[in-house]
Amino acid sequence: MKKLILIPFLLFTLLSMAACGGDNENPFTPEVPEQPGNGDKEEPDTPEPGENGRYLVLYSSRTSNTKRVAQLIQTTLDCDILEVEPETPYDDDYNGMLERAQKELADVRQGNYPPVKTSIENFDDYEMVLVGYPIWYGSMATPMQTFLHNYASKLAGKHIALFATSGSSGISSSVSEAHDLCPDAVFVEQTLLLTSSSLNQMESRVPAWLNEIGANKEAPDTPDASSLKVKITAGDHTITATMDDNAAGRDFLSRLPLEVTLEDYNNITEKIFYPNPKLDLEGVARGCTPSPGDITIYEPWGNVAIFCKSWSYSDDLIKIGHIDGNGIESLQVSSDIKVKIERQ
């Protein structure tokens, strides 16, 4: 008798459970455990430190040729050094590496940069960043292209010196790429290229190049006087700029502090003033295609012109510095501006 009563009860229970689960119910799926590190922000890398904190050697290297040059520079200057590494290491197989390099270079030309695992908080403490890389098919190796692309804003106003290794390719194309990647950086004109036929000369060529670009192990006797950084104060706003290391730039620095009125010229295209006497232009390269933030001299008039807008090339313009970061936005107004310019 008990069994007869139990059977209808079980049937009723099963029918009730079925009715509660309509067609729109999702099937049960177990929770997927979170992968370690998912969503975590990576800590910035810390460069290997040296005693001389004025310089940072930043390099990428696959076959260790560029690494050897970078390490020699680091030893010579006793400065900080950091390797830029791809997120996925390259194959040891040479042909496989070539195929990947060609694909990555093609991707970069389309604006798709292969990820790197190297990061850095800032470059504020460095006077100069020495950037080294191998040359692949005439171009800068893609890990360094990605890194410069990622950190272009933090490198604005920073002096950058380029060195590279290659089988036989020249460096000029990669220099143009660096300028495009970091348009607001200040590039040292002298570069260093060591090819397969000259790599064995690096013990002599590296020190000679460092001497040529003014990088040395000793700290300057008067660091404030040697700095190329200036600050420009207009009312409550202060922006910074980095002067070029040429005769005109040094002459400009020697006259600071200055209090001048920047006159608006050509509808916020330029802010100008007239130094008296005119700045020293001996040995300074002529010709410039100004972009926003460029500090220039217009040779026929002798005036300093800070460009707020891009302008066409002129043989009479001489670049002597650049406003750091987005500071030029403070000067992009239609009125004249009284400013104080002094060393930073």
Side-chain angles (χ1 to χ4, degrees):
M1 183 69 179
K2 290 182 180 179
K3 291 182 178 180
L4 291 174
I5 295 172
L6 181 60
I7 290 171
F9 176 77
L10 292 173
L11 290 172
F12 175 79
T13 302
L14 291 171
L15 289 170
S16 299
M17 292 175 64
C20 291
D23 292 339
N24 292 329
E25 285 290 321
N26 292 324
F28 172 77
T29 53
E31 182 179 352
V32 179
E34 184 176 351
Q35 294 298 317
N38 281 1
D40 292 344
K41 183 178 180 180
E42 291 187 5
E43 291 296 322
D45 294 293
T46 301
E48 181 183 334
E51 292 294 326
N52 188 344
R54 298 160 58 201
Y55 307 107
L56 170 66
V57 179
L58 189 69
Y59 75 95
S60 63
S61 185
R62 195 192 77 86
T63 63
S64 295
N65 285 338
T66 310
K67 181 177 182 178
R68 289 167 54 202
V69 179
Q71 289 175 333
L72 178 57
I73 294 172
Q74 189 272 337
T75 302
T76 304
L77 297 177
D78 192 16
C79 65
D80 295 1
I81 188 170
L82 180 65
E83 182 178 5
V84 173
E85 300 180 80
E87 190 171 272
T88 303
Y90 290 96
D91 294 334
D92 291 334
D93 176 68
Y94 183 67
N95 290 329
M97 182 271 162
L98 290 181
E99 290 179 7
R100 176 175 166 185
Q102 288 177 313
K103 181 182 183 303
E104 288 183 346
L105 287 169
D107 288 343
V108 164
R109 295 185 186 102
Q110 298 299 317
N112 301 314
Y113 292 85
V116 295
K117 66 179 183 180
T118 306
S119 63
I120 189 169
E121 186 171 355
N122 60 65
F123 300 89
D124 295 347
D125 295 334
Y126 300 111
E127 290 181 16
M128 183 185 293
V129 181
L130 300 100
V131 175
Y133 49 87
I135 295 175
W136 295 346
Y137 297 98
S139 289
M140 177 185 294
T142 53
M144 188 58 74
Q145 290 205 52
T146 295
F147 188 90
L148 295 183
H149 169 77
N150 292 347
Y151 287 91
S153 61
K154 292 187 176 182
L155 287 165
K158 191 62 61 179
H159 280 71
I160 296 179
L162 301 175
F163 65 96
T165 62
S166 75
S168 59
S169 300
I171 196 172
S172 59
S173 294
S174 68
V175 172
S176 297
E177 290 166 342
H179 282 255
D180 291 339
L181 290 164
C182 298
D184 294 327
V186 180
F187 285 91
V188 176
E189 184 176 352
Q190 299 87 349
T191 60
L192 174 66
L193 173 65
L194 293 170
T195 63
S196 56
S197 62
S198 60
L199 193 62
N200 59 357
Q201 302 171 11
M202 69 176 180
E203 294 287 345
S204 60
R205 292 191 58 186
V206 164
W209 176 65
L210 293 175
N211 183 65
E212 186 179 13
I213 65 176
N216 53 73
K217 186 174 182 178
E218 293 76 21
D221 295 332
T222 54
D224 290 340
S226 67
S227 173
L228 298 173
K229 304 286 285 186
V230 301
K231 63 179 180 179
I232 303 171
T233 304
D236 296 330
H237 298 283
T238 299
I239 60 178
T240 62
T242 305
M243 305 307 296
D244 286 2
D245 191 10
N246 56 31
R250 289 190 295 270
D251 190 11
F252 181 87
L253 289 166
S254 71
R255 303 186 189 191
L256 301 183
L258 285 174
E259 293 189 25
V260 299
T261 297
L262 298 178
E263 302 174 19
D264 185 56
Y265 184 78
N266 194 17
N267 192 24
I268 325 179
T269 299
E270 309 167 38
K271 288 290 189 281
I272 68 172
F273 73 95
Y274 294 81
N276 186 19
K278 293 181 179 180
L279 293 173
D280 179 13
L281 303 181
E282 183 178 356
V284 180
R286 270 68 170 172
C288 174
T289 304
S291 59
D294 280 348
I295 304 172
T296 68
I297 297 171
Y298 183 58
E299 187 173 11
W301 297 353
N303 65 288
V304 171
I306 303 175
F307 276 83
C308 299
K309 299 178 181 178
S310 297
W311 200 249
S312 57
Y313 175 86
S314 172
D315 286 326
D316 294 322
L317 282 174
I318 299 168
K319 186 172 178 292
I320 64 169
H322 190 84
I323 303 294
D324 296 339
N326 297 320
I328 190 59
E329 294 175 357
S330 300
L331 304 181
Q332 291 171 330
V333 295
S334 58
S335 59
D336 298 346
I337 306 174
K338 290 184 177 180
V339 299
K340 182 177 183 178
I341 308 173
E342 54 192 330
R343 288 181 180 273
Q344 188 176 7

